[in-house]
Amino acid sequence: ILHYPDKWYFSFCSHFCCSLIIFQNITGHEYPEFVKIVEVGPRDGLQNEKEIVPTGVKIQLIDMLSGTGLSVIEATSFVSSKWVPQMADHTDVLRGIQRAPHVRYPVLTPNLQGFQDAVAAGATEVAVFGSASETFSKKNINCSIDESMLRFEEVINTAKERQIPVRGYVSCALGCPHEGDIKPSTVAKVAKRLYEMGCYEISLADTIGVGTPGSMLKMLQGVKKEVPINALAVHCHDTYGQALPNILTALQMGVCVVDSAVAGLGGCPYAQGSSGNVSTEDVLYMLHGMGIETGVNLPKVIEAGYFICNALCRNTNSKVAQAKSRTL
Amino acid sequence: MAAVMRLVNRSTLSSVMGQHYAAFSSSAKLTAAGVNAGHTLPDKVKIVEVGPRDGLQNEKTIVPTEAKINLIDMLSESGLPVIEATSFVSPKWVPQMADQVEVMKGISRKPGVSYPVLTPNLKGFQAAVKAGAAEVAIFGAASELFSKKNINCSVDESLQRFDEVMKAAKEAGVPVRGYVSCVVGCPYEGKVAPEKVAHVAKRLYSMGCYEISLGDTIGVGTPGSITAMLEAVSKEVPVSALAVHCHDTYGQALANILVALQMGISVIDSSVAGLGGCPYAQGASGNVATEDVVYMLHGLGIQTGVDLSKLMDAGAFICRTLNRKTSSKVAQATCKL
């Protein structure tokens, strides 16, 4: 059984991993000295907003984010526009953005067709989405977990040939809207599969935000038996207000990659009107307050957040942005 | 607004999501295992509910006495062990608490539940005891400027005032809780030195306060600054006598509470529905929502004695009365199922 990706692929991908994590100690807890933020606002965020944002605005948002110091910005999704109309302009967005050096712009590719379209549009990194819940997999992408893995294998193998790194997501890592509790061993199994197929990093997503530090701990304990901790990321939703303590728990366990969305864009499709993604601004505030470096300029992210919220005619979900805009 | 806050079917959470909600929010097997290897979390946490006082005091709308009494009675039914009922400050300064005597006399006191009230000075203490108070609280600050602007005297002068209250309370056999505000940051002074907080906390504890609640008044704390502050304070005051009062103005409250628990703190202040804004960042949130705290604690397998569903009922009630949305994310998520 292959425990690690092919050697050449691994060395290619090691640039993208926190292959060496340096820890600092804050009162008996060890934390990474550096955390990589994966900004998912333009994709996961906008995909879950009611308003469809014009292409020009999307491009401007991504360009603003590119100037903040973020090193990874998930730009769009090559899913059929029949299912995700908000991402129908994927090719125009990818072609329209000004790619900053040292910034990567992964895109979602659910299948080979999507992958090929993405590459034709200039994508240099892609992501695939697995699920830890059978029911969620069936309802979300109309196939079982095993079937989805076969689809992703095609994508990953083709990506390997083209030297395009692939990031893997595991959704419902802390709970499923249909099945309820999800066993850590199930999450570990799916994460392992994606990792062994060749994903350089696995993002574990609390899709409905029900996780707490208790369940986050147990889930990560299970997954890190199968996937090296430096290849793991957490993608926490703030639907129950638990995202920051969950992220803190992940950091305490050695995770050093955190997904978040500017202004907390993107609601929760399973709890209408509730919040979804954790706000990048709030994550940065916490990390910087702990002396953890991110390379990201918080005021510039706040600015990008105000821009997109204006365009969406909505208030920001970021508490930091709210407080900063009103401080006497 | 009333329609938004009506919690349809929430009492039984009859949807599949709802049935699993109970499973999500309790992880009974985790008990004292600790979030991190080698760090034991408390088995039980005492929640000090400050909604009726700190919450309502910082809301723009003044709530009728009847509604306050109803809120406190609903909170009593939810299992909360401590409910800060009102404040014996002059109504000239805090009009929201002008009905302090009627509230104290009107509530149905549940056996085993404490109803502390704020008493800034001897006069307030005497009025509180006359109205039936069996526990009081006093408020110091770790910042000189904040003390001067908030209660018009220096930190030392305020501690002298409290001396009088302490003496009278001892004689009357009334326990006193001490608060320290601005424990990580001050809206006027900026950063606050942990040693200063430790000094004020120690003074209050030595004077006779049974518990010291450390307040991040403007919510600027993060797990970094909260840890440093607690390290300094716990050198001077036993951890078992410490509580944290975190504001969620910058979204950091739950993360800060988690590190406090990891450091051995087992008393948490919070406010139902996250009542009470931040007077220093207009429109921003203040108190952390009790519902969200309880959700996290139960998810960690920590006992609180609180029935989350009944707590949410109380939150829904007061939000309807105030004609505002809840600040609790748990309440928002749950009522939309």
Side-chain angles (χ1 to χ4, degrees), chain B residues 189-219:
Chain B
E189 283 184 12
K191 265 192 189 161
V192 175
E195 294 66 39
K196 180 80 187 193
V197 184
H199 169 76
V200 178
K202 182 180 181 177
R203 273 293 287 276
L204 288 168
Y205 188 67
S206 319
M207 274 162 46
C209 291
Y210 75 91
E211 191 169 90
I212 312 299
S213 176
L214 305 162
D216 179 9
T217 307
I218 50 170

Side-chain angles (χ1 to χ4, degrees), chain A residues 26-31 174-182 208-215 217-218 221 238-242 244-246 248-249 252-253 270-275 277 281-283 285-290 317 319-320 322-324 326-328, chain B residues 16-17 20-21 23-27 29-30 33-37 39 219-225 227-228 231 248-252 254-256 258-259 262-263 279-285 291-293 295-300 327 329-330 332-334 336-337:
Chain A
I26 301 176
T27 326
H29 293 283
E30 286 196 330
Y31 295 99
L174 295 176
C176 169
H178 316 290
E179 287 184 18
D181 245 351
I182 297 290
I208 49 172
V210 290
T212 64
S215 53
L217 172 82
K218 281 179 123 186
Q221 279 175 337
D238 204 39
T239 317
Y240 290 78
Q242 309 295 307
L244 286 188
N246 290 344
L248 187 68
T249 302
Q252 288 176 351
M253 293 198 68
Y270 305 97
Q272 220 184 10
S274 293
S275 61
N277 288 301
E281 299 92 317
D282 298 0
V283 172
Y285 187 90
M286 180 173 82
L287 297 176
H288 293 175
M290 295 168 68
N317 271 340
K319 288 217 160 172
V320 169
Q322 284 167 30
K324 293 280 186 200
R326 282 141 169 171
T327 309
L328 299 169
Chain B
V16 170
M17 174 75 162
H20 293 292
Y21 173 78
F24 294 146
S25 65
S26 71
S27 176
K29 287 165 199 142
L30 206 65
V35 173
N36 206 17
H39 293 274
V220 289
T222 64
S225 52
T227 301
E231 266 192 316
D248 204 39
T249 316
Y250 289 79
Q252 308 295 305
L254 287 188
N256 292 343
L258 182 62
V259 293
Q262 290 175 343
M263 291 187 73
Y280 306 98
Q282 219 181 13
S285 64
E291 298 92 318
D292 299 359
V293 173
Y295 185 91
M296 181 174 81
L297 295 176
H298 289 183
L300 282 163
S327 287
K329 288 214 160 174
V330 169
Q332 282 167 30
T334 317
K336 300 294 187 349
L337 293 172

Side-chain angles (χ1 to χ4, degrees), chain A residues 179-228:
Chain A
E179 287 184 18
D181 245 351
I182 297 290
K183 287 193 193 136
S185 53
T186 311
V187 183
K189 199 168 137 194
V190 178
K192 180 181 181 178
R193 193 95 188 259
L194 287 167
Y195 187 68
E196 288 178 348
M197 285 190 328
C199 291
Y200 74 89
E201 191 170 273
I202 312 296
S203 177
L204 305 163
D206 181 11
T207 307
I208 49 172
V210 290
T212 64
S215 53
M216 173 63 83
L217 172 82
K218 281 179 123 186
M219 184 275 291
L220 286 175
Q221 279 175 337
V223 177
K224 67 186 233 191
K225 287 179 190 158
E226 308 291 351
V227 180

